[in-house]
Every structure is written in structure tokens, then in C-alpha cells.
Amino acid sequence: MDIKITKSLTSRLPEVDFDNLPFGRTFSDHMFVCDYYDGAWHNPRIEPFHNLSLHPATMALHYGQAIFEGMKASITNDGTPMLFRPERHAHRLNQSAVRLCMPQFPEDLFVDALCKLVNIDQGWIPQAAGSALYVRPTMIATDEFIGVKPSQSYKFFIFTGPVGPYYTKPVSLWAETTYIRAAMGGTGAAKAAGNYAGALYPAQLAQERGFDQLLWLDAKEFKYIQESGTMNVFFVINEKVITPPLSGTILDGVTRDSIIQILRSEGITVEEYPITIDEVVQAYHDGTLQEAFGAGTAAVVSHVSEIGYKDLVMVLPPVSERKIAPHVKAVIDGLRAGTVADKWGWTMPIMAEEMVS
Ligand SMILES: *Cc1c(COP(=O)(O)O)cnc(C)c1O
């Protein structure tokens, strides 16, 4: 399908202060839009960024058929715009779509749209190290109907916005033993809007206790560690890297997968198994809990400074003593900047031939 392009007549770029970019509040000049009806996707197009006009009975607003992706475009040191593992995001969007009974979006069109959109708005990609153009593909149900059933029409859109270097002060996590994020058989593995709404209240309670974010435990026994906020979690215990397996209750993070592959390619053992909070407590008491970190597109790596669990607050070693998390962050940042050789084929430079006038 050909993407029809309508360029904006003026750019808002001169109004943007690239030295002060609040995360998630600045949006680029263009967006990609495509509509689904009569059983097919129609009219893929890039248009000037605009508001959507929605009927009050738009189904996504009531019954939650809304899914999204989060990824980043960077600019290499030689000025080439670059995407990181875009096919994997396209595929994950479709896995979320299946779970929410939404139509799949053609993965090649997803990548094509992304390349063209980032190309047109490449002036919006911040140059400073660690900055990027955040990309938000979204799909919503658009039938105007009251009643619980799958919508027959959908809108898929992609918009972008520049984000500054995500300074990550280490985060403190509260291991939650009252509320849950996801149960086996639920929607935890989908990037579905409703998952995040349900997490807000318990996260607020954790913040009132003085913790930044939640460390989710399994829904049945409050024993097995799942993930944290919008990050997968890793632990380094006694020189071994451990992360919970993809059991259907956690998101299959692109950063998680990249970290596992990078470490394994260097001969470092990474074990994917249902690690319990008790094991982390035990390692803490034994003095073998070396690192804990969250992994996700936004920050790549967020060091965990403390974990609260029941009456215990485990204070982890200072970041200066950590080896694994700073290393994997440097490799992924380097791949994005084009300074680390990409032996995996993860980076997709957007070449000048794809330029559209
Ligand atoms: C997006 C997300 C992640 C991280 O996925 P990446 O592909 O690495 O950005 C982890 N957990 C949840 C719940 C998420 O929404």
C-alpha cells in the first residue's frame, strides 16, 4: 500500500527548546494515520499532526480496545536517522492486537510508515547524546456503539516527539503484596492501555510509602517476581544474571531481549526462571545481591537503589560498584549512536533513497 503524504506548510520546530525537553510533552510536525473498516486497512497517510475528533460513544473510550507501542528513533554520529528493532515492535503490536480482538496491522507497512515518518521529521531528532525521538504507534477501536463486543472499525496512528537524555536517578521499588498487575490468562503480555490504568492506584500507594515504583509479584502467591512499571527487571546475584521468564504475565520487552542476547554473546550466563522475592531477600542477607535494574525503551536501564518488601528495605550496592547494567546500557546506547558495531542486525538506518520530497 502506498502511503500518501501531505506535508505541513509550517514547522513548529523553531518553537522547541531542545535543551529543555520535558518527557512526553513535545510532538513533531507529522503523524501517520490508517483506518480499518469493511475488514481491511485503508488510506495509509502521513499528515500534519492534528487532534482526533471522536464520537462520545467511540468504543475505545468505554471498553478499552486500545493498544500501543513505544520505541525510539536516534540519529547516528554521522547524521543518519536510525530505528532500533522496528520489526519486533511491529510484531509485538500485532500480538497485543490478537489478545484484544483487534485487527493486525501489516508489519511491512508499519516499518515503511515509521521510516517515512521519521524521515520527514528527522529535524526533530535531538542530537545530544542519550536524546532521541520517541515514537508512539497506537491502535484504537472507533465504532460508535454502546455494547461490549469487538469494534468493526479501528484507527492506527503513529506520532513522535523529541525527548531529552533520560537522566535516570536510581529508582526504589516496592514489592507489592496486595494489588496485582497481571494474572495468568490475563492481558499482562499485551501493551494494552487498561493495564496501565489498573496500576495507577497501587503505584500511588507505594509512592506514599516513599517508593518510586512497584515491583509486581505474581497474582496467586505474591511470590514470583514479574516486572516493574513499564520495565522488565533483572537481578545480578553471585555473578549470575537472572530475569523472570516470558510466562504470559509480563511484557516481552525489546530491551529485555536485547540485553539477554548481548550478555549471552559475551559468555555471561543469563538465567530466565521464575525468581522469587524470597530468593532476592536471601541473596541480600548473604551479601550476594549485586545489582537490580529495570529494562525498557525509555531509559534503557534504570538502576534499582532499594527494594521494599514487607518490613524490610533492601539497600543495594552503589551504582559505581555495578558492572552489568552500565555495560549493557553503554552497548545499546552505542548501537543507537552507531558507535558500536551491530553484529545482530538490530539497527535500521533510514537511507536517503527513502526520502520523500
Ligand atoms: C513497554 C513495556 C516494557 C518494556 O518494553 P521495551 O520493548 O523494552 O520498551 C516492559 N514492561 C511493560 C509493562 C511495558 O509496558
Side-chain angles (χ1 to χ4, degrees):
M1 265 195 280
D2 274 346
I3 299 173
K4 180 170 172 256
I5 294 169
T6 311
K7 283 187 119 184
S8 116
L9 297 175
T10 55
S11 173
R12 287 178 283 103
L13 201 45
E15 298 159 26
V16 179
D17 177 4
F18 274 81
D19 295 327
N20 285 296
L21 288 169
F23 192 93
R25 293 195 188 275
T26 309
F27 303 103
S28 320
D29 284 328
H30 297 86
M31 65 194 286
F32 172 82
V33 187
C34 194
D35 298 305
Y36 183 91
Y37 53 86
D38 295 340
W41 288 101
H42 299 275
N43 192 16
R45 57 205 188 270
I46 288 173
E47 299 179 327
F49 185 83
H50 60 273
N51 289 344
L52 302 176
S53 166
L54 298 176
H55 187 282
T58 297
M59 287 185 82
L61 302 177
H62 301 265
Y63 309 112
Q65 275 184 302
I67 56 175
F68 64 96
E69 271 302 313
M71 49 196 301
K72 276 177 173 175
S74 54
I75 196 142
T76 62
N77 291 347
D78 68 6
T80 311
M82 161 119 95
L83 297 169
F84 190 74
R85 309 189 73 182
E87 326 77 21
R88 209 172 158 97
H89 287 277
H91 187 64
R92 189 171 68 186
L93 179 88
N94 282 339
Q95 289 175 316
S96 299
V98 168
R99 182 63 184 82
L100 277 281
C101 221
M102 299 167 82
Q104 303 203 32
F105 192 79
E107 293 178 18
D108 49 352
L109 183 57
F110 178 104
V111 175
D112 188 25
L114 214 52
C115 288
K116 293 201 159 83
L117 183 64
V118 170
N119 212 342
I120 287 180
D121 280 337
Q122 61 175 277
W124 287 83
I125 309 177
Q127 308 272 341
S131 319
L133 189 70
Y134 189 80
V135 179
R136 173 49 62 91
T138 312
M139 193 194 298
I140 59 169
T142 51
D143 273 11
E144 298 159 0
F145 177 74
I146 294 297
V148 179
K149 68 174 182 71
S151 178
Q152 312 273 0
S153 65
Y154 295 84
K155 196 177 275 296
F156 174 70
F157 47 92
I158 309 175
F159 59 96
T160 72
V163 293
Y166 203 89
Y167 289 118
T168 42
K169 101 172 167 45
V171 292
S172 57
L173 302 182
W174 172 251
E176 179 56 52
T177 52
T178 303
Y179 297 94
I180 62 155
R181 173 184 178 275
M184 287 300 281
T187 57
K191 231 170 161 71
N195 288 344
Y196 304 86
L200 295 174
Y201 180 63
Q204 185 176 306
L205 295 179
Q207 278 153 19
E208 286 167 10
R209 287 178 196 263
F211 292 87
D212 298 315
Q213 291 190 34
L214 293 170
L215 180 63
W216 294 109
L217 302 178
D218 76 278
K220 205 168 160 193
E221 298 174 78
F222 291 103
K223 186 171 152 190
Y224 300 101
I225 293 171
Q226 292 183 338
E227 58 180 323
S228 171
T230 55
M231 298 185 298
N232 295 109
V233 289
F234 286 79
F235 297 88
V236 183
I237 296 176
N238 213 1
E239 309 298 327
K240 254 191 329 224
V241 182
I242 303 159
T243 194
L246 301 176
S247 57
T249 57
I250 67 169
L251 203 90
D252 181 0
V254 176
T255 316
R256 175 189 181 278
D257 181 75
S258 305
I259 289 173
I260 293 173
Q261 290 198 51
I262 289 166
L263 292 174
R264 286 187 180 155
S265 78
E266 296 171 350
I268 297 167
T269 305
V270 183
E271 294 186 357
E272 295 172 78
Y273 72 86
I275 179 172
T276 63
I277 186 72
D278 293 331
E279 240 176 295
V280 173
V281 171
Q282 187 62 49
Y284 172 71
H285 288 312
D286 293 348
T288 53
L289 178 58
Q290 295 159 304
E291 295 183 37
F293 59 96
T297 293
V300 183
V301 156
S302 286
H303 303 286
V304 175
S305 53
E306 289 178 8
I307 302 172
Y309 175 59
K310 297 184 176 165
D311 295 330
L312 179 67
V313 176
M314 298 178 263
V315 179
L316 278 84
V319 171
S320 57
E321 288 174 18
R322 303 189 189 190
K323 287 186 279 220
I324 298 288
H327 169 67
V328 289
K329 178 166 167 51
V331 173
I332 293 176
D333 283 344
L335 285 164
R336 287 214 171 102
T339 55
V340 166
D342 178 9
K343 61 178 174 185
W344 296 277
W346 288 342
T347 54
M348 180 181 282
I350 300 175
M351 294 305 178
E353 303 88 77
E354 286 169 85
M355 283 265 203
V356 274
S357 52

mmCIF file with all atom_site columns, all heavy atoms in Angstrom, residues 335-348:
data_model
loop_
_atom_site.group_PDB
_atom_site.id
_atom_site.type_symbol
_atom_site.label_atom_id
_atom_site.label_alt_id
_atom_site.label_comp_id
_atom_site.label_asym_id
_atom_site.label_entity_id
_atom_site.label_seq_id
_atom_site.pdbx_PDB_ins_code
_atom_site.Cartn_x
_atom_site.Cartn_y
_atom_site.Cartn_z
_atom_site.occupancy
_atom_site.B_iso_or_equiv
_atom_site.pdbx_formal_charge
_atom_site.auth_seq_id
_atom_site.auth_comp_id
_atom_site.auth_asym_id
_atom_site.auth_atom_id
_atom_site.pdbx_PDB_model_num
ATOM 1   N N   . LEU A 1 335 ? 24.931 1.266   20.057 1.00 0.00 ? 335 LEU A N   1
ATOM 2   C CA  . LEU A 1 335 ? 24.284 0.774   18.834 1.00 0.00 ? 335 LEU A CA  1
ATOM 3   C C   . LEU A 1 335 ? 23.412 1.880   18.242 1.00 0.00 ? 335 LEU A C   1
ATOM 4   O O   . LEU A 1 335 ? 23.400 2.115   17.032 1.00 0.00 ? 335 LEU A O   1
ATOM 5   C CB  . LEU A 1 335 ? 23.421 -0.456  19.140 1.00 0.00 ? 335 LEU A CB  1
ATOM 6   C CG  . LEU A 1 335 ? 24.173 -1.769  19.378 1.00 0.00 ? 335 LEU A CG  1
ATOM 7   C CD1 . LEU A 1 335 ? 23.268 -2.798  20.046 1.00 0.00 ? 335 LEU A CD1 1
ATOM 8   C CD2 . LEU A 1 335 ? 24.708 -2.319  18.052 1.00 0.00 ? 335 LEU A CD2 1
ATOM 9   N N   . ARG A 1 336 ? 22.700 2.591   19.112 1.00 0.00 ? 336 ARG A N   1
ATOM 10  C CA  . ARG A 1 336 ? 21.811 3.664   18.659 1.00 0.00 ? 336 ARG A CA  1
ATOM 11  C C   . ARG A 1 336 ? 22.578 4.846   18.087 1.00 0.00 ? 336 ARG A C   1
ATOM 12  O O   . ARG A 1 336 ? 22.078 5.550   17.212 1.00 0.00 ? 336 ARG A O   1
ATOM 13  C CB  . ARG A 1 336 ? 20.944 4.146   19.824 1.00 0.00 ? 336 ARG A CB  1
ATOM 14  C CG  . ARG A 1 336 ? 19.856 3.158   20.199 1.00 0.00 ? 336 ARG A CG  1
ATOM 15  C CD  . ARG A 1 336 ? 18.634 3.921   20.658 1.00 0.00 ? 336 ARG A CD  1
ATOM 16  N NE  . ARG A 1 336 ? 17.495 3.037   20.833 1.00 0.00 ? 336 ARG A NE  1
ATOM 17  C CZ  . ARG A 1 336 ? 17.063 2.608   22.013 1.00 0.00 ? 336 ARG A CZ  1
ATOM 18  N NH1 . ARG A 1 336 ? 17.657 2.988   23.113 1.00 0.00 ? 336 ARG A NH1 1
ATOM 19  N NH2 . ARG A 1 336 ? 16.025 1.799   22.077 1.00 0.00 ? 336 ARG A NH2 1
ATOM 20  N N   . ALA A 1 337 ? 23.773 5.084   18.619 1.00 0.00 ? 337 ALA A N   1
ATOM 21  C CA  . ALA A 1 337 ? 24.583 6.213   18.129 1.00 0.00 ? 337 ALA A CA  1
ATOM 22  C C   . ALA A 1 337 ? 25.444 5.794   16.941 1.00 0.00 ? 337 ALA A C   1
ATOM 23  O O   . ALA A 1 337 ? 26.108 6.624   16.323 1.00 0.00 ? 337 ALA A O   1
ATOM 24  C CB  . ALA A 1 337 ? 25.458 6.750   19.257 1.00 0.00 ? 337 ALA A CB  1
ATOM 25  N N   . GLY A 1 338 ? 25.433 4.484   16.633 1.00 0.00 ? 338 GLY A N   1
ATOM 26  C CA  . GLY A 1 338 ? 26.249 3.982   15.531 1.00 0.00 ? 338 GLY A CA  1
ATOM 27  C C   . GLY A 1 338 ? 27.722 3.837   15.886 1.00 0.00 ? 338 GLY A C   1
ATOM 28  O O   . GLY A 1 338 ? 28.565 3.687   15.012 1.00 0.00 ? 338 GLY A O   1
ATOM 29  N N   . THR A 1 339 ? 28.052 3.869   17.173 1.00 0.00 ? 339 THR A N   1
ATOM 30  C CA  . THR A 1 339 ? 29.452 3.748   17.578 1.00 0.00 ? 339 THR A CA  1
ATOM 31  C C   . THR A 1 339 ? 29.827 2.326   17.993 1.00 0.00 ? 339 THR A C   1
ATOM 32  O O   . THR A 1 339 ? 30.991 2.025   18.179 1.00 0.00 ? 339 THR A O   1
ATOM 33  C CB  . THR A 1 339 ? 29.771 4.704   18.756 1.00 0.00 ? 339 THR A CB  1
ATOM 34  O OG1 . THR A 1 339 ? 28.847 4.450   19.818 1.00 0.00 ? 339 THR A OG1 1
ATOM 35  C CG2 . THR A 1 339 ? 29.648 6.160   18.330 1.00 0.00 ? 339 THR A CG2 1
ATOM 36  N N   . VAL A 1 340 ? 28.820 1.465   18.151 1.00 0.00 ? 340 VAL A N   1
ATOM 37  C CA  . VAL A 1 340 ? 29.095 0.059   18.441 1.00 0.00 ? 340 VAL A CA  1
ATOM 38  C C   . VAL A 1 340 ? 28.653 -0.735  17.211 1.00 0.00 ? 340 VAL A C   1
ATOM 39  O O   . VAL A 1 340 ? 27.545 -0.521  16.696 1.00 0.00 ? 340 VAL A O   1
ATOM 40  C CB  . VAL A 1 340 ? 28.303 -0.409  19.700 1.00 0.00 ? 340 VAL A CB  1
ATOM 41  C CG1 . VAL A 1 340 ? 28.298 -1.924  19.826 1.00 0.00 ? 340 VAL A CG1 1
ATOM 42  C CG2 . VAL A 1 340 ? 28.883 0.228   20.962 1.00 0.00 ? 340 VAL A CG2 1
ATOM 43  N N   . ALA A 1 341 ? 29.533 -1.616  16.715 1.00 0.00 ? 341 ALA A N   1
ATOM 44  C CA  . ALA A 1 341 ? 29.213 -2.393  15.516 1.00 0.00 ? 341 ALA A CA  1
ATOM 45  C C   . ALA A 1 341 ? 27.995 -3.276  15.799 1.00 0.00 ? 341 ALA A C   1
ATOM 46  O O   . ALA A 1 341 ? 27.927 -3.933  16.836 1.00 0.00 ? 341 ALA A O   1
ATOM 47  C CB  . ALA A 1 341 ? 30.416 -3.235  15.122 1.00 0.00 ? 341 ALA A CB  1
ATOM 48  N N   . ASP A 1 342 ? 27.053 -3.282  14.857 1.00 0.00 ? 342 ASP A N   1
ATOM 49  C CA  . ASP A 1 342 ? 25.806 -4.012  15.042 1.00 0.00 ? 342 ASP A CA  1
ATOM 50  C C   . ASP A 1 342 ? 25.915 -5.407  14.449 1.00 0.00 ? 342 ASP A C   1
ATOM 51  O O   . ASP A 1 342 ? 25.558 -5.646  13.304 1.00 0.00 ? 342 ASP A O   1
ATOM 52  C CB  . ASP A 1 342 ? 24.664 -3.224  14.378 1.00 0.00 ? 342 ASP A CB  1
ATOM 53  C CG  . ASP A 1 342 ? 23.328 -3.944  14.495 1.00 0.00 ? 342 ASP A CG  1
ATOM 54  O OD1 . ASP A 1 342 ? 23.256 -4.948  15.232 1.00 0.00 ? 342 ASP A OD1 1
ATOM 55  O OD2 . ASP A 1 342 ? 22.371 -3.489  13.852 1.00 0.00 ? 342 ASP A OD2 1
ATOM 56  N N   . LYS A 1 343 ? 26.368 -6.362  15.255 1.00 0.00 ? 343 LYS A N   1
ATOM 57  C CA  . LYS A 1 343 ? 26.524 -7.721  14.734 1.00 0.00 ? 343 LYS A CA  1
ATOM 58  C C   . LYS A 1 343 ? 25.214 -8.497  14.741 1.00 0.00 ? 343 LYS A C   1
ATOM 59  O O   . LYS A 1 343 ? 25.147 -9.623  14.285 1.00 0.00 ? 343 LYS A O   1
ATOM 60  C CB  . LYS A 1 343 ? 27.604 -8.470  15.516 1.00 0.00 ? 343 LYS A CB  1
ATOM 61  C CG  . LYS A 1 343 ? 27.313 -8.639  16.984 1.00 0.00 ? 343 LYS A CG  1
ATOM 62  C CD  . LYS A 1 343 ? 28.445 -9.444  17.649 1.00 0.00 ? 343 LYS A CD  1
ATOM 63  C CE  . LYS A 1 343 ? 28.244 -9.489  19.150 1.00 0.00 ? 343 LYS A CE  1
ATOM 64  N NZ  . LYS A 1 343 ? 29.329 -10.122 19.879 1.00 0.00 ? 343 LYS A NZ  1
ATOM 65  N N   . TRP A 1 344 ? 24.155 -7.885  15.282 1.00 0.00 ? 344 TRP A N   1
ATOM 66  C CA  . TRP A 1 344 ? 22.871 -8.593  15.363 1.00 0.00 ? 344 TRP A CA  1
ATOM 67  C C   . TRP A 1 344 ? 21.900 -8.194  14.249 1.00 0.00 ? 344 TRP A C   1
ATOM 68  O O   . TRP A 1 344 ? 20.889 -8.841  14.048 1.00 0.00 ? 344 TRP A O   1
ATOM 69  C CB  . TRP A 1 344 ? 22.210 -8.309  16.709 1.00 0.00 ? 344 TRP A CB  1
ATOM 70  C CG  . TRP A 1 344 ? 22.968 -8.829  17.874 1.00 0.00 ? 344 TRP A CG  1
ATOM 71  C CD1 . TRP A 1 344 ? 22.936 -10.098 18.364 1.00 0.00 ? 344 TRP A CD1 1
ATOM 72  C CD2 . TRP A 1 344 ? 23.870 -8.107  18.710 1.00 0.00 ? 344 TRP A CD2 1
ATOM 73  N NE1 . TRP A 1 344 ? 23.765 -10.197 19.464 1.00 0.00 ? 344 TRP A NE1 1
ATOM 74  C CE2 . TRP A 1 344 ? 24.350 -8.999  19.688 1.00 0.00 ? 344 TRP A CE2 1
ATOM 75  C CE3 . TRP A 1 344 ? 24.340 -6.790  18.735 1.00 0.00 ? 344 TRP A CE3 1
ATOM 76  C CZ2 . TRP A 1 344 ? 25.260 -8.618  20.680 1.00 0.00 ? 344 TRP A CZ2 1
ATOM 77  C CZ3 . TRP A 1 344 ? 25.241 -6.415  19.711 1.00 0.00 ? 344 TRP A CZ3 1
ATOM 78  C CH2 . TRP A 1 344 ? 25.688 -7.319  20.665 1.00 0.00 ? 344 TRP A CH2 1
ATOM 79  N N   . GLY A 1 345 ? 22.195 -7.075  13.577 1.00 0.00 ? 345 GLY A N   1
ATOM 80  C CA  . GLY A 1 345 ? 21.259 -6.572  12.574 1.00 0.00 ? 345 GLY A CA  1
ATOM 81  C C   . GLY A 1 345 ? 20.040 -5.922  13.205 1.00 0.00 ? 345 GLY A C   1
ATOM 82  O O   . GLY A 1 345 ? 18.931 -5.990  12.677 1.00 0.00 ? 345 GLY A O   1
ATOM 83  N N   . TRP A 1 346 ? 20.213 -5.294  14.341 1.00 0.00 ? 346 TRP A N   1
ATOM 84  C CA  . TRP A 1 346 ? 19.093 -4.682  15.059 1.00 0.00 ? 346 TRP A CA  1
ATOM 85  C C   . TRP A 1 346 ? 18.788 -3.263  14.587 1.00 0.00 ? 346 TRP A C   1
ATOM 86  O O   . TRP A 1 346 ? 17.674 -2.790  14.734 1.00 0.00 ? 346 TRP A O   1
ATOM 87  C CB  . TRP A 1 346 ? 19.398 -4.630  16.563 1.00 0.00 ? 346 TRP A CB  1
ATOM 88  C CG  . TRP A 1 346 ? 19.353 -5.972  17.221 1.00 0.00 ? 346 TRP A CG  1
ATOM 89  C CD1 . TRP A 1 346 ? 18.760 -7.103  16.742 1.00 0.00 ? 346 TRP A CD1 1
ATOM 90  C CD2 . TRP A 1 346 ? 19.919 -6.313  18.488 1.00 0.00 ? 346 TRP A CD2 1
ATOM 91  N NE1 . TRP A 1 346 ? 18.919 -8.132  17.639 1.00 0.00 ? 346 TRP A NE1 1
ATOM 92  C CE2 . TRP A 1 346 ? 19.633 -7.677  18.722 1.00 0.00 ? 346 TRP A CE2 1
ATOM 93  C CE3 . TRP A 1 346 ? 20.646 -5.610  19.456 1.00 0.00 ? 346 TRP A CE3 1
ATOM 94  C CZ2 . TRP A 1 346 ? 20.036 -8.338  19.890 1.00 0.00 ? 346 TRP A CZ2 1
ATOM 95  C CZ3 . TRP A 1 346 ? 21.036 -6.264  20.605 1.00 0.00 ? 346 TRP A CZ3 1
ATOM 96  C CH2 . TRP A 1 346 ? 20.735 -7.616  20.816 1.00 0.00 ? 346 TRP A CH2 1
ATOM 97  N N   . THR A 1 347 ? 19.804 -2.573  14.107 1.00 0.00 ? 347 THR A N   1
ATOM 98  C CA  . THR A 1 347 ? 19.595 -1.170  13.763 1.00 0.00 ? 347 THR A CA  1
ATOM 99  C C   . THR A 1 347 ? 19.156 -1.054  12.310 1.00 0.00 ? 347 THR A C   1
ATOM 100 O O   . THR A 1 347 ? 19.591 -1.822  11.458 1.00 0.00 ? 347 THR A O   1
ATOM 101 C CB  . THR A 1 347 ? 20.887 -0.367  13.990 1.00 0.00 ? 347 THR A CB  1
ATOM 102 O OG1 . THR A 1 347 ? 21.941 -1.000  13.283 1.00 0.00 ? 347 THR A OG1 1
ATOM 103 C CG2 . THR A 1 347 ? 21.235 -0.293  15.459 1.00 0.00 ? 347 THR A CG2 1
ATOM 104 N N   . MET A 1 348 ? 18.252 -0.131  12.057 1.00 0.00 ? 348 MET A N   1
ATOM 105 C CA  . MET A 1 348 ? 17.775 0.085   10.698 1.00 0.00 ? 348 MET A CA  1
ATOM 106 C C   . MET A 1 348 ? 18.005 1.551   10.333 1.00 0.00 ? 348 MET A C   1
ATOM 107 O O   . MET A 1 348 ? 17.222 2.426   10.707 1.00 0.00 ? 348 MET A O   1
ATOM 108 C CB  . MET A 1 348 ? 16.284 -0.271  10.601 1.00 0.00 ? 348 MET A CB  1
ATOM 109 C CG  . MET A 1 348 ? 15.728 -0.066  9.200  1.00 0.00 ? 348 MET A CG  1
ATOM 110 S SD  . MET A 1 348 ? 13.967 -0.467  9.097  1.00 0.00 ? 348 MET A SD  1
ATOM 111 C CE  . MET A 1 348 ? 14.043 -2.243  9.038  1.00 0.00 ? 348 MET A CE  1
#
